[in-house]
Amino acid sequence: MAKTWHEWEKPLLDLEEGIQKLRDLVPKAPPDKAAQLEKQIEEFEKKRDTFLRVKYGRLGPWERTLVARADNRPYTLDYVRAIVTDWVELHGDRRYGDDKAMIAGLGKIDGISCVIVGQQKGRDLKQRQFRNFGMAKPEGYRKAIRMFEMADRFGLPVISFIDTPAADPGVDSESRGISEAIAAGMSSLFGVGVPTIAVIIGEGGSGGAIGIGACNRVLMLENSIYSVIPPEGCAAILWREPTAGDKAASALKLTAQHALDLGLIDEIIPESFGGAHRNPAETAKNVEEAVVRHLRELMVYDRDTLRTDRYAKFRAMGVFTADEAFTL
Amino acid sequence: MAKTWHEWEKPLLDLEEGIQKLRDLVPKAPPDKAAQLEKQIEEFEKKRDTFLRVKYGRLGPWERTLVARADNRPYTLDYVRAIVTDWVELHGDRRYGDDKAMIAGLGKIDGISCVIVGQQKGRDLKQRQFRNFGMAKPEGYRKAIRMFEMADRFGLPVISFIDTPAADPGVDSESRGISEAIAAGMSSLFGVGVPTIAVIIGEGGSGGAIGIGACNRVLMLENSIYSVIPPEGCAAILWREPTAGDKAASALKLTAQHALDLGLIDEIIPESFGGAHRNPAETAKNVEEAVVRHLRELMVYDRDTLRTDRYAKFRAMGVFTADEAFTL
Amino acid sequence: MQVKSDAFLRCSKCRKVLFSKEFERNLRVCGSCGHHHRISADERIRITFDEGTFQELDRGLRSCDPLEFPDYREKLEKGAKATGRHDSVIRGTAMIEGRPVSAAVADFAFMGGSMGSVAGEKIARTIELAIERRIPAVIFTATGGARMQEGLLSLMQMAKTAAACRKASDEGVPFVCVFTDPTMAGVLASYASLADVILAEPGALVGFAGARVSAQAGVGRVPDNFQTSEYNFEHGMIDAVVQRKDLRSTLARVVDHLSANL
Amino acid sequence: MQVKSDAFLRCSKCRKVLFSKEFERNLRVCGSCGHHHRISADERIRITFDEGTFQELDRGLRSCDPLEFPDYREKLEKGAKATGRHDSVIRGTAMIEGRPVSAAVADFAFMGGSMGSVAGEKIARTIELAIERRIPAVIFTATGGARMQEGLLSLMQMAKTAAACRKASDEGVPFVCVFTDPTMAGVLASYASLADVILAEPGALVGFAGARVSAQAGVGRVPDNFQTSEYNFEHGMIDAVVQRKDLRSTLARVVDHLSANL
Ligand SMILES: [Zn+2]
Ligand SMILES: [Zn+2]
């Protein structure tokens, strides 16, 4: 079982690299040789597609975890670029700072002005540090809350893109009340009288995710994950083996399908063939279609109904039995 | 003209010290000598009272500034101790810290549960540093705002004791948005649907004061001051003479009487004979009487009326003429 | 603390030997160093509410291991044996110095006081009952956080309890929370931090992430009192750190003020 | 900047000599160092709103020196001569890329853009007109703060303008503020900081206290960019620092989004 994203993708990447090499030869080759190359390329591509179909056709919880975390997976700003027009990024919590791990702004989706928030990961090392690996600090959640309140004030829907391993657990986050910030994020989302839609596009990491995720509709990309704890953390606690992430991923049931089966999310958005990173544009189209459809459904409701709906939705979550006669 | 509080009070303090010395002699003296001493004391006391009456009878703006800043003047917690029962001090802005220059809590005044906030100065050097000389930082105003919101939520009146030279102007206050915090304090006070009463007990220093001062009723102790800028600051800017505070105090019209004449406050609360520091208990009684009277007046109004009243009150402040034909 | 004999025990903090009877009379606070030792939910109820006024509700709610998580059923059984309850949160109605409250108390001895579906449901019902009857909600936390054995369902309890708190807030119904040792992670990051007034016992562990994780993640120095009640107080997250012996009267006063117009 | 001749001038920031025509075409932004030089309120109106759409209101409002403050009347007259206006704030209605707004623009050349009764009144009326017509309010600040020559009356303008902002907020009417050089003290600590969206020009001085006062009061290091737009942006107080040439289009987009449901 692959332990890392690169281990998991390597055979595919090798194949794709080979195909690219052959393709580079075509223009330089004589006509008959070129035709032969084209045929070869076609064969390899078929092979790759079969490989992809097998590999991505029945991903297990751990493989999805790897895909959800892939460093070439589309991030929040990629979706913003793909589906949002008239984008204006807004910054700052008006309290302490501007958190680069949490983006926020105003933009139109299908012509509808919305407030958009979301965690942002970085693709290269420098960007990753700049974005704090997508781990927002208190000021990130407080920026989001400022946006939620603005959305409520001006009747704008909220679209929340979730992609975070966790909220930032560092000493400075603790000192400024990361717990309070997450709790307040949920509280704010339960208060707004506008449609709210969360889309989990990669990692839905615990409190860091739900802090901007308590929405009227919660959608998950096919290969995203949503979990109360990172599988490695769970493995470390339960079995003292942080490397048993695959085992924990299975136990935690952190896939979109599991979340849907448990009634905790509303819809799974399909990714492009072979994962969102293989065709970000196509995946973004799917995201846009789903978001707009849910948005149009929600926009007919009045403020109270939207609030009541949200309350009822989360109030019903939980599985237990009532056994009035207590016996040990 | 006295430049400092000690310079101003010295003749009085000398006299009072002398009286005390004579009084200490009485128990040890033979009966006839004692009677003589008593008579002497009585004379000195009469002298002191006359002196006090003259000195405190017609205080100018600068003298009031000195009295308002006196280091033995009663501070916010002194009034809390004197007139509040069932006091529970509450702390923290739930964002960053707990500001010791701004106290906050729950307590009863005349049996009515209230939210109480106020700047707190320190009496000795250590306390003064602990209280940051009564200069609140952003977290102080945000603590107050948390209290205003709590008051609004639970229908509790707000009593705000104002006693600050200014909001803290330091680099760290700036970095956390002291301006935003003050503005938000006013905004919060304009939003609450409960009776709000501000009492200026010492220095009503500019933005630092109005940040917790935009209330339905604004009362001022007889020798307190309320100003857009400290007189020394004004003198430094206008005449490049920070020592011309007395001149600036007159120009700024920062006394309670001026504020009342301009229609900017609702009432002047009398202090004990010779200033609040001479009889804090009596002064506290006067404060209590005034606060309770205004509170009972305001408590008959509903939420909307309280808000509308507050808006109208501050909306009307300002003196200008409309001269439609503009000519230079 | 360690039991030495029936009559004596040793404080786990300062290592001093204490008289058991005095220790109990002291509400399990060390007479020497002041350390507040953990107490059971039943003991908490006894020392907090007016005698005989606590009426338990939902005692029968129990987890049904919805994820079929490894070893979860065994842990639930162990917790039940340790506490005589089905889950980590006990809820009911009670009086505190004559004032009615909707109350919940967590027991750390049940799976580290963790919050799964049952705890989340009981907390939500505690708040909802407060709203319904227009009485304050009073909750004592003692928890390591969300219960990972219920996976995403546990995470959703954060949202569920936060929703209830928001509703109480919107309806002007007060919620007072008392943090006891420990109050961590998913509970701190949901309903616990949404209380109108937060009191905490001295020295309780209060934080978001495990201290090890925080230290690894952080660039700065880890302060000596990191993630204690006192640290959180300094940083503005807690209204007051209150000695166990004074909690009852402080709570009563707070509840009295906040419900003046209910 | 210093005028060298009619055709040239020198940038006060980088000391480079610039072509006057190019400098004006550049909206008074130095082509060499990018420094945004101050512009008059009339110029601001010209480059921000759709041509000919600005309709001034309350041009006749003027201060009557209520405190009889030393030298105040002379200063008012000097300001009037410098700007052709009675006070530091010009207000009216305008269109921005076809969208109607209630607008106000401060002129630093009138007594340092300070806010007395007239400025406060005009700001309040700007916000109130926005509420009445349900159109966004757009305000450009340029001010040293409250006008001390009107004493406590000036302080009360902070409350008055804040009250208007709160009302707009409660009624769902947007307010966008643009900080230009400088935006200080009593204005920053009232309506300016209460805007829904805050844009700022690069390098503007933005702060509460004079830098000297801050440095004296503080224990910490004063950062190099202290009290600039960029500093305030880093500290979360400003939504975006926008080049003068992009302000109009950015404003138009923000106004468009925020008034989508007005
Ligand atoms: Zn001990
Ligand atoms: Zn230049």
Side-chain angles (χ1 to χ4, degrees), chain A residues 274-304:
Chain A
H277 56 292
R278 284 221 151 59
N279 193 338
E282 186 191 326
T283 306
K285 268 228 157 320
N286 297 346
V287 168
E288 182 178 17
E289 184 281 321
V291 165
V292 170
R293 178 162 38 80
H294 284 281
L295 201 48
R296 301 247 174 236
E297 274 176 37
L298 291 169
M299 281 172 73
V300 304
Y301 298 118
D302 64 15
R303 294 178 56 84
D304 278 351

Side-chain angles (χ1 to χ4, degrees), chain C:
Chain C
M1 53 279 106
Q2 296 172 329
V3 177
K4 289 205 69 180
S5 79
D6 282 358
F8 300 97
L9 45 75
R10 192 187 284 283
C11 172
S12 58
K13 183 88 176 178
C14 70
R15 318 296 305 158
K16 285 257 169 64
V17 174
L18 311 169
F19 283 106
S20 297
K21 270 196 180 158
E22 204 185 316
F23 180 67
E24 294 299 335
R25 211 181 312 120
N26 240 346
L27 311 176
R28 303 179 71 82
V29 173
C30 172
S32 176
C33 72
H35 183 65
H36 282 54
H37 294 267
R38 284 179 192 152
I39 61 176
S40 71
D42 283 322
E43 178 68 2
R44 177 68 66 184
I45 288 166
R46 199 184 62 73
I47 67 172
T48 304
F49 303 112
D50 298 353
E51 204 183 328
T53 61
F54 184 79
Q55 301 282 329
E56 189 170 350
L57 293 166
D58 296 327
R59 194 183 171 99
L61 255 49
R62 62 197 302 175
S63 175
C64 48
D65 188 13
L67 268 53
E68 304 192 339
F69 199 96
D71 307 326
Y72 184 27
R73 281 179 190 274
E74 291 71 30
K75 280 174 181 153
L76 287 169
E77 269 168 42
K78 213 176 131 198
K81 269 185 196 133
T83 63
R85 294 297 204 294
H86 278 315
D87 216 297
S88 61
V89 169
I90 299 176
R91 88 165 191 102
T93 56
M95 304 284 269
I96 182 159
E97 295 195 1
R99 298 169 194 88
V101 296
S102 176
V105 177
D107 201 326
F108 189 75
F110 195 106
M111 289 191 72
S114 59
M115 176 165 71
S117 296
V118 170
E121 182 68 20
K122 283 186 168 183
I123 295 297
R125 290 187 187 181
T126 300
I127 310 262
E128 285 175 338
L129 184 75
I131 298 170
E132 194 189 308
R133 299 204 184 160
R134 297 199 70 74
I135 55 176
V138 173
I139 301 181
F140 286 79
T141 51
T143 176
R147 183 174 294 169
M148 65 187 156
Q149 289 84 352
E150 293 188 19
L152 198 54
L153 283 163
S154 291
L155 188 67
M156 293 305 113
Q157 303 313 305
M158 290 174 64
K160 181 160 104 181
T161 56
C165 292
R166 174 66 192 229
K167 196 176 198 177
S169 193
D170 287 343
E171 306 220 357
V173 170
F175 163 32
V176 183
C177 198
V178 184
F179 293 179
T180 78
D181 183 51
T183 297
M184 296 293 292
V187 168
L188 185 64
S190 62
Y191 71 88
S193 287
L194 294 173
D196 298 295
V197 171
I198 295 175
L199 308 176
E201 288 199 335
L205 185 71
V206 176
F208 179 63
R212 201 177 37 80
V213 176
S214 292
Q216 281 176 343
V219 281
R221 195 181 64 84
V222 180
D224 289 340
N225 67 352
F226 188 58
Q227 291 186 335
T228 59
S229 298
E230 292 74 13
Y231 174 87
N232 277 277
F233 177 80
E234 278 168 27
H235 287 88
M237 305 301 155
I238 284 175
D239 282 291
V241 178
V242 183
Q243 298 283 323
R244 189 170 286 164
K245 66 178 168 50
D246 300 324
L247 257 178
R248 177 188 160 82
S249 64
T250 306
L251 261 179
R253 257 181 302 156
V254 170
V255 158
D256 181 39
H257 291 309
L258 296 187
S259 53
N261 295 304
L262 275 184

Side-chain angles (χ1 to χ4, degrees), chain B residues 86-98 100 106-108 113 146-147 150 153-156, chain C residues 169 172-174 193 195-198 233-240 250 253-254 256-258 260-261:
Chain B
D86 302 291
W87 172 244
V88 189
E89 190 171 346
L90 302 179
H91 295 265
D93 66 345
R94 301 267 171 99
R95 297 286 180 274
Y96 180 86
D98 180 52
K100 308 303 182 194
L106 298 164
K108 291 183 187 182
S113 283
R146 183 162 85 79
M147 296 298 142
M150 201 188 295
R153 199 175 305 139
F154 303 123
L156 307 176
Chain C
S169 193
V173 170
S193 287
D196 298 295
V197 171
I198 295 175
F233 177 80
E234 278 168 27
H235 287 88
M237 305 301 155
I238 284 175
D239 282 291
T250 306
R253 257 181 302 156
V254 170
D256 181 39
H257 291 309
L258 296 187
N261 295 304

Side-chain angles (χ1 to χ4, degrees), chain B residues 141-210:
Chain B
Y141 292 94
R142 289 173 188 146
K143 169 159 75 171
I145 290 168
R146 183 162 85 79
M147 296 298 142
F148 300 155
E149 289 172 356
M150 201 188 295
D152 187 47
R153 199 175 305 139
F154 303 123
L156 307 176
V158 171
I159 315 297
S160 180
F161 289 103
I162 295 174
D163 192 13
T164 183
D168 180 81
V171 175
D172 63 332
S173 281
E174 193 78 75
S175 78
R176 294 192 294 280
I178 184 67
S179 299
E180 192 281 341
I182 289 171
M186 291 187 286
S187 175
S188 176
L189 279 172
F190 281 114
V192 301
V194 294
T196 55
I197 298 173
V199 189
I200 301 172
I201 58 170
E203 286 184 274
S206 191
I210 192 69

